[in-house]
């Protein structure tokens, strides 16, 4: 199973770069992983991926358990022109209770069960046959004496009468089963019956062979006696004769388990077909599979809180976390690899892992790691910056030989442009929800060089923050607008405590107030909010 590697919702450059680079590292170590994102990437991340010639990771909306995650039964389907008897033998051989009927492209046409076969033996039409000559030869261990393979359809008769009794009743729709009754055989040939099945492996004199060829009447010789042949012949029918093709309850492999459980409870079948979008048959599931479902394997980067991660994370198996934030609320049932370091970027940690594991860096991977560090540390202006971040950039640039000042400025210029973005898009560009000492807090942050555009829409931002605050039931809703050049942030907010902003940031609680030196949500905004909460308690 492929392990999914992804960062937090509203992905920024650090989380996107970390997911791509860590997936590359894991794959080079022999694991099978896929880098993913939990939403559309921002302009800065798109610029970085384009600059280094890398594709945008796959978007996933959740990691809830799907049918495709189950260890369902893989069963080989049979064609509709297979015989009932061959279907039965296959089911006996592989201990199956249900068999899929598929076309040449493996698309599901129907199913047949052991019960269907049993009911055909008890209640079927014993005198009707529609199958191929080859099916009869194979199922009855026979040999074709005259004719070639084709679909034969007609009414079955076992002839035991004197030939004059039946000579006027035989016709071109009759399929006769007969022993060494040459008078009957000749009569049947001259009547141009549909098919003659000669039992007990009898040799047929050449004159009858020649006559059958002349009249174009096929003859099959079987080694079985007449009684056994008559008993088995209707099992040579096409399996499509008894398959169920309507009202089949089947599941798409992309369906979620919580969707199919109700259906399984209300229908109570033994097995349910699993199909792809184009109806290609993939296998069978039953209630036992759902009782012990498979789980998606995931690696989290740049976050370790449920509220910031993919929906359905509690249904997935977390195998590893790489992060540089405070410890969150994620828990696991078994020990996992958890690496959390007080550095400015998750990409710094992953660069360190490349060094420890002695895995060579391609220019593309070195580039996005470098970009992730520059982005998350605001090119070392953020207080979260450490010497390890600086050293990582220096070492990565030995591979790239970039003009770092020019690269960083161009990246920030593209990434902080708010042109064409709505109020909602700006607010949620980098938004995170926190549970701080029991207080529900929502904090959005946007970095920009275009402060004028924000303040031209100041009243709209205030209105949106107030509306979000009411809808989400937050104690504090805060939009931090960070001016990279001035190295500080403007605040737009709504709080249940009117004096809270003053306590947290030591400024007047007016909308759009500038707080110098505040650029990091993780290192400055969240800790100061926590301190203020403890003061007002």
């Amino acid at each position: 199973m492929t392990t999914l590697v992804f960062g937090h919702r509203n992905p920024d450059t650090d989380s996107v770069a970390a997911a791509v680079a860590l997936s590359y590292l894991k794959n080079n170590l022999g694991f099978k992983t896929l880098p993913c994102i939990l939403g559309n990437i921002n302009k800065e991340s798109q610029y970085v991926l384009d600059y280094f010639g890398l594709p945008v990771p796959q978007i996933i909306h959740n990691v809830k358990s799907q049918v495709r995650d189950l260890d369902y039964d893989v069963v080989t389907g049979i064609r509709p022109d297979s015989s009932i008897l061959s279907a039965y033998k296959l089911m006996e051989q592989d201990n199956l209770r249900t068999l899929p009927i598929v076309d040449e492209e493996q698309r599901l046409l129907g199913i047949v069960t052991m019960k269907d076969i049993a009911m055909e033996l008890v209640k079927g039409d014993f005198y009707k046959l529609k199958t191929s000559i080859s099916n009869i030869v194979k199922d009855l261990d026979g040999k074709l004496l005259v004719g070639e393979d084709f679909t034969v359809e007609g009414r079955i008769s076992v002839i035991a009468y004197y030939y004059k009794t039946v000579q006027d009743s035989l016709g071109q729709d009759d399929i006769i089963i007969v022993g060494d009754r040459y008078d009957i055989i000749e009569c049947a040939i001259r009547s141009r019956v549909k098919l003659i099945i000669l039992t007990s492996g009898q040799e047929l004199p050449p004159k009858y062979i020649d006559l059958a060829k002349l009249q174009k009447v096929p003859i099959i010789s079987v080694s079985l006696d007449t009684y056994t042949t008559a008993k088995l012949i209707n099992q040579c029918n096409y399996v499509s004769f008894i398959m169920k093709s309507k009202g089949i309850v089947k599941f798409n492999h992309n369906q979620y388990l919580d969707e199919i459980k109700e259906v399984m409870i209300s229908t109570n079948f033994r097995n349910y077909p699993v199909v792809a979008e184009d109806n290609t048959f993939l296998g069978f599931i039953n209630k036992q599979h759902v009782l012990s479902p498979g789980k998606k394997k995931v690696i989290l980067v740049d976050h370790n809180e449920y509220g910031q991660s993919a929906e359905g994370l509690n249904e997935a198996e977390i195998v590893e976390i790489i992060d540089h934030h405070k410890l969150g609320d994620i828990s696991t049932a078994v020990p996992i690899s958890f690496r959390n370091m007080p550095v400015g970027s998750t990409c710094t940690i992953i660069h360190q892992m490349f060094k420890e594991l002695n895995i060579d860096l391609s220019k593309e991977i070195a580039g996005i790691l470098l970009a992730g560090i520059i982005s998350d540390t605001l090119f070392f202006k953020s207080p979260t910056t450490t010497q390890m971040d600086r050293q990582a950039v220096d070492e990565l640039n030995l591979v790239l030989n970039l003009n770092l000042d020019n690269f960083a400025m161009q990246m920030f210029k593209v990434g902080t442009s708010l042109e064409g973005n709505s109020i909602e898009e700006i607010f949620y560009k980098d938004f995170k929800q926190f549970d701080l000492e029991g207080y529900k807090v929502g904090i959005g942050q946007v970095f920009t060089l275009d402060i004028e555009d924000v303040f031209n829409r100041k009243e709209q931002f205030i209105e949106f923050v107030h509306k979000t605050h009411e809808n989400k039931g937050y104690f504090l809703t805060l939009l931090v607008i960070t001016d990279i050049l001035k190295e500080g942030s403007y605040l737009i907010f709504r709080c249940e405590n009117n004096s809270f902003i003053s306590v947290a940031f030591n400024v007047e609680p007016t909308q759009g107030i500038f707080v110098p030196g505040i650029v990091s949500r993780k290192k400055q905004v969240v800790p100061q909010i926590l301190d203020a909460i403890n003061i007002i308690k």
Side-chain angles (χ1 to χ4, degrees), residues 213-250:
K213 289 179 179 178
L214 181 64
Q215 297 294 332
K216 296 183 178 179
V217 175
I219 301 177
I220 297 174
S221 174
V222 300
S223 60
L224 304 173
D225 59 52
T226 301
Y227 170 77
T228 306
T229 301
K231 189 172 69 169
L232 293 177
I233 187 64
N234 74 320
Q235 296 179 48
C236 297
N237 268 308
Y238 286 146
V239 71
S240 59
F241 196 67
I242 63 168
M243 78 175 183
K244 181 180 180 182
S245 59
K246 296 181 179 179
I248 298 174
V249 179
K250 59 186 177 181

Side-chain angles (χ1 to χ4, degrees), residues 4 6 9 36-38 59-66 69 254 256 259 296 298 309-313 315-316:
L4 307 179
F6 54 85
R9 299 178 190 178
C36 301
I37 49 178
L38 301 185
I59 292 181
I60 57 173
H61 300 290
N62 61 67
V63 289
K64 295 165 64 177
S65 294
Q66 295 171 278
D69 300 318
N254 285 323
Y256 298 109
E259 295 175 4
K296 285 185 169 65
V298 302
S309 197
E311 182 183 349
L313 185 63
E315 297 180 27

